[in-house]
Amino acid sequence: MRPLRYSINVTLDGCCHHEAGSPPDEDSMRYWTAEMERADALLFGRVTYEMMESAWRRPATGPWPDWMSDWEIPFAEAIDETKKHVVSSTLTAVDWNAELLHGDLAEEVQRLKDEPGGSLWVGGVTLPLALANLGLIDEYEFLVQPVIAGHGPTLLAGLSERVQLELVDRQEFGSGVVALRYRPAQATA
């Protein structure tokens, strides 16, 4: 079974808006590149899919845009090449190495998890909340930014039940960002 990992940048006060945290630096981009390279497939809701596609899809002209630093290109290449599954009730078609998931969310995601291979990766805000409420997330990975945003969407706001987690990995970057990876704690008898 392929594990499903939820990964996101989050500020100290829980904001997970993509512009609320610290700007990407070389350390964090190397980290995210390794995550993309390790994932067999990505799972996105419509908003995250469209945002990621607009930023990281290779332009039809071939070269990466001038705004992209050399240290961002490996991430762009990794995410551009990775298979994507998109959950949306409004999109009728996707491309960018992607397919739309149709039907019951729990059944579709469980089907993906049951396929052979490595890990699945999910990002965003709304879809991960639904997946957490369904108990389908196997790992939670947060890159905690040394920022207090004071506004914006917060991490897993509206979660129906508390999820007890066990820390399985921690990595600190020179920028003050701390990458924390957790697994749901096993219930004790």
Side-chain angles (χ1 to χ4, degrees):
M1 183 165 87
R2 299 193 295 182
L4 177 60
R5 179 183 291 177
Y6 173 38
S7 299
I8 194 163
N9 289 305
V10 61
T11 63
L12 288 169
D13 58 343
C15 180
C16 47
H17 188 276
H18 70 280
E19 294 176 341
S22 305
D25 62 11
E26 290 185 51
D27 286 341
S28 64
M29 288 306 285
R30 270 194 299 276
Y31 186 89
W32 286 121
T33 300
E35 290 302 301
M36 287 300 107
E37 291 171 344
R38 193 167 46 220
D40 279 354
L42 309 176
L43 186 58
F44 291 137
R46 179 192 55 81
V47 172
T48 303
Y49 169 76
E50 289 176 342
M51 180 182 67
M52 298 302 262
E53 181 184 31
S54 70
W56 301 111
R57 183 177 188 160
R58 182 181 292 276
T61 58
W64 293 103
D66 291 340
W67 63 261
M68 196 176 289
S69 301
D70 288 344
W71 46 267
E72 292 175 301
I73 292 173
F75 175 82
E77 290 173 339
I79 195 170
D80 188 61
E81 295 169 3
T82 302
K83 175 74 177 163
K84 296 154 198 80
H85 303 279
V86 181
V87 175
S88 173
S89 61
T90 58
L91 292 175
T92 57
V94 292
D95 55 6
W96 193 41
N97 195 23
E99 70 172 350
L100 278 172
L101 294 182
H102 301 283
D104 181 76
L105 178 62
E107 290 175 9
E108 286 295 305
V109 172
Q110 190 59 57
R111 177 186 60 79
L112 292 173
K113 289 177 65 169
D114 289 342
E115 291 177 358
S119 65
L120 297 168
W121 183 93
V122 64
V125 178
T126 305
L127 178 60
L129 174 61
L131 296 172
N133 279 328
L134 292 167
L136 291 170
I137 298 177
D138 301 297
E139 291 186 354
Y140 293 82
E141 179 176 47
F142 309 121
L143 264 66
V144 181
Q145 309 285 316
V147 173
I148 298 172
H151 68 282
T154 55
L155 184 65
L156 298 170
L159 191 63
S160 62
E161 291 183 24
R162 178 181 162 168
V163 178
Q164 185 68 38
L165 302 172
E166 295 175 334
L167 181 66
V168 294
D169 192 33
R170 173 190 166 102
Q171 184 175 346
E172 295 182 30
F173 303 120
S175 63
V177 171
V178 179
L180 302 168
R181 188 164 48 96
Y182 298 91
R183 290 193 184 115
Q186 300 299 318
T188 55

